[in-house]
């Protein structure tokens, strides 16, 4: 499972880099590949959910603390579309303290998500709680790339 310390310590970025390298260096479905299965298990621990703008707004409104920062994997693709993620609660505190994000109000977080319209919103569990809402960029996103290679990981959040 990804932890808050993994986000502030750079470990999560390194894990994404390795996963992208694995996808780039292989072809076809990975469902029967041993490394593919290990990666699938690691990815599933984030329990990623695709959510609507309104569902994301509900998480934002219920958060104790909010921060905004570049989506984590963009550091690996600086030329790609810029989208910013919203971090919640303890992850927001930690990302702001490490300088990886800036604290934000509810309105700023909602505005940030409106600016990223067209990028599917994905919420991920970090340290056991849903704390990261990313306007994903499918060509570089490990979740979407895993799906393309047969490693099903994305669920759509049910209607409230
Ligand atoms: S685009 Fe995908 S891999 Fe990149 S930070 Fe967002 S959820 Fe993670």
């Amino acid at each position: 499972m990804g932890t808050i310390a993994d986000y502030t310590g750079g470990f999560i970025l390194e894990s994404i880099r390795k996963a992208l390298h694995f996808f780039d260096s292989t072809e076809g479905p990975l469902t029967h590949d041993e490394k593919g299965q290990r990666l699938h298990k690691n990815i599933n621990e984030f329990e990623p959910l695709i959510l609507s703008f309104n569902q994301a707004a509900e998480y934002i409104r219920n958060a104790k603390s909010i921060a905004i920062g570049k989506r984590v994997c963009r550091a690996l693709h600086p030329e790609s579309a810029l989208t910013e993620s919203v971090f919640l609660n303890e992850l927001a505190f930690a990302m702001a303290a490490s300088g990886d994000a800036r604290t934000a109000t509810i309105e700023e977080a909602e505005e940030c998500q409106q600016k990223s319209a067209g990028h599917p919103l994905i919420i991920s569990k970090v340290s056991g709680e849903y704390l990261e809402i990313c306007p994903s960029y499918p060509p570089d996103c490990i979740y979407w790339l895993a799906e393309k290679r047969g490693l099903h990981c994305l669920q759509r959040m049910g209607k409230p």
Side-chain angles (χ1 to χ4, degrees):
M1 146 131 18
T3 65
I4 291 171
D6 293 340
Y7 275 66
T8 53
F11 181 79
I12 198 74
L13 187 59
E14 184 55 18
S15 303
I16 293 173
R17 193 188 63 71
K18 283 186 185 154
L20 290 173
H21 175 70
F22 175 63
F23 287 134
D24 284 346
S25 58
T26 51
E27 280 182 4
L30 293 167
T31 32
H32 298 296
D33 180 282
E34 200 181 315
K35 259 179 122 176
Q37 287 177 0
R38 273 206 302 278
L39 177 60
H40 194 195
K41 182 173 170 291
N42 291 342
I43 288 176
N44 275 335
E45 287 182 355
F46 291 84
E47 299 181 43
L49 295 172
I50 301 169
L51 68 178
S52 67
F53 180 82
N54 287 341
Q55 288 168 328
E58 198 167 333
Y59 273 98
I60 290 169
R61 283 186 215 125
N62 289 330
K64 297 191 296 276
S65 177
I66 301 168
I68 295 173
K70 277 186 277 193
R71 72 173 190 281
V72 174
C73 70
R74 189 166 183 270
L76 301 170
H77 309 276
E79 73 298 341
S80 66
L82 170 63
T83 61
E84 290 191 302
S85 294
V86 173
F87 305 103
L88 307 172
N89 299 342
E90 284 74 16
L91 182 60
F93 278 123
M95 293 293 272
S98 65
D100 294 304
R102 59 192 183 279
T103 53
T105 62
I106 292 173
E107 292 71 26
E108 286 166 338
E110 288 186 353
E111 193 184 319
C112 163
Q113 302 216 309
Q114 265 156 1
K115 275 198 230 147
S116 302
H119 292 268
L121 293 174
I122 299 180
I123 192 163
S124 297
K125 268 193 182 174
V126 182
S127 290
E129 270 186 79
Y130 281 113
L131 297 180
E132 179 195 24
I133 304 173
C134 175
S136 62
Y137 182 63
D140 296 336
C141 176
I142 53 165
Y143 296 142
W144 293 106
L145 292 170
E147 287 279 343
K148 271 174 93 171
R149 306 295 291 279
L151 307 178
H152 178 52
C153 57
L154 286 170
Q155 310 278 350
R156 199 165 283 277
M157 179 175 275
K159 291 208 185 340

